[in-house]
């Protein structure tokens, strides 16, 4: 199973999907597009503490994290 | 009378155990606790150890190689630090929405480690002495 983690008011919301399932994969890709289109940044881990940002959906990513647009505080 | 007391004691113990279970369950499922867990999962072992000990962790900016210290908090919690670990400048940038500290800190870590210039371009600078160390060391 793969997971998309979206930061929100509850801490985070997790969407799990089977990357072998074409329909589930399509839904995950759609969610990716909607979130990044709304300004979220997507990233996944490449090692302990190492992170890479991604701008397009990666069907091989085991875990993708989304955080909202950054602004000056 | 003693028999009645003996009967009540196990019930009291069960009640205490139940109260502790509820306390732990709800305590560990608050948004703040979930945010801290997510943060811990994404930190390097060194950053995690530093965070557990000091409630802050250091990151290296991907563009300049400068070091930043991210304190537990949701605003004005990022400091650029020198080789001695002293704060030289404060940088304030946060994700939109009302996120918990763990989430905010994780977003700041990822931003500095993958797009330092982009993060600093939108950040507001502040003098590093705005908050004392005590401010950041409030209990979870």
């Amino acid at each position: 199973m793969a997971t998309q983690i979206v930061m929100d008011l509850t801490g985070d919301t997790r969407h799990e999907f089977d990357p072998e399932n074409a329909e589930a994969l399509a839904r995950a890709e759609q969610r990716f597009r909607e979130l990044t289109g709304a300004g979220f940044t997507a990233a996944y881990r490449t090692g302990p503490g190492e992170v890479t940002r991604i701008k397009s959906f990666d069907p091989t990513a085991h875990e993708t994290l989304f955080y909202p647009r950054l602004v000056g505080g | 009378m003693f028999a009645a007391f003996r009967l009540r004691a196990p019930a009291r113990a069960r009640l205490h155990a139940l109260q502790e279970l509820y306390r732990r369950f709800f305590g560990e499922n608050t948004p703040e606790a979930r945010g801290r867990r997510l943060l811990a999962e994404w930190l390097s072992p060194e950053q995690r150890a530093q965070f557990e000990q000091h409630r802050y962790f250091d990151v290296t900016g991907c563009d300049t190689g400068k070091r930043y210290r991210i304190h537990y908090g949701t605003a004005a919690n990022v400091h650029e630090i020198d080789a001695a670990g002293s704060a030289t400048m404060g940088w304030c940038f946060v994700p939109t929405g009302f996120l918990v500290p763990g989430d905010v800190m994780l977003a700041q870590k990822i931003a500095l480690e993958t797009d330092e210039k982009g993060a600093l371009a939108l950040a507001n600078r502040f003098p590093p002495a705005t908050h004392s160390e005590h401010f950041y060391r409030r209990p979870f």
Side-chain angles (χ1 to χ4, degrees), chain B residues 5-138:
Chain B
F5 178 79
R6 261 187 246 118
L7 283 176
R8 271 190 234 129
R12 227 181 359 252
R14 278 199 297 276
L15 182 63
H16 280 296
L18 200 59
Q19 285 173 333
E20 179 66 11
L21 189 67
Y22 271 105
R23 191 186 65 77
R24 285 192 183 183
F25 177 80
F26 288 111
E28 289 171 5
N29 278 285
T30 61
E32 288 77 11
R34 288 164 58 84
R36 282 198 303 273
R37 272 202 301 276
L38 179 65
L39 173 66
E41 287 169 14
W42 285 63
L43 293 178
S44 69
E46 296 78 19
Q47 289 171 332
R48 195 177 310 126
Q50 194 180 23
F51 178 58
E52 284 168 5
Q53 188 175 357
H54 301 292
R55 292 164 55 89
Y56 62 68
F57 57 88
D58 297 345
V59 302
T60 302
C62 64
D63 297 315
T64 66
K66 288 180 179 176
R67 302 282 293 165
Y68 300 89
R69 182 158 290 167
I70 302 178
H71 294 265
Y72 189 77
T74 57
N77 63 321
V78 179
H79 287 145
E80 186 179 323
I81 56 172
D82 60 20
S86 300
T88 58
M89 179 62 67
W91 295 93
C92 191
F93 61 99
V94 294
T96 52
F98 298 97
L99 297 183
V100 293
D103 286 355
V104 171
M105 296 170 76
L106 180 53
Q108 291 166 333
K109 162 191 157 70
I110 295 171
L112 288 169
E113 290 181 340
T114 64
D115 182 26
E116 179 190 7
K117 283 184 179 172
L120 299 187
L122 53 83
N124 288 317
R125 289 191 287 183
F126 63 92
T130 299
H131 298 307
S132 68
E133 192 64 22
H134 178 72
F135 175 84
Y136 295 109
R137 295 194 64 80
R138 291 169 298 176

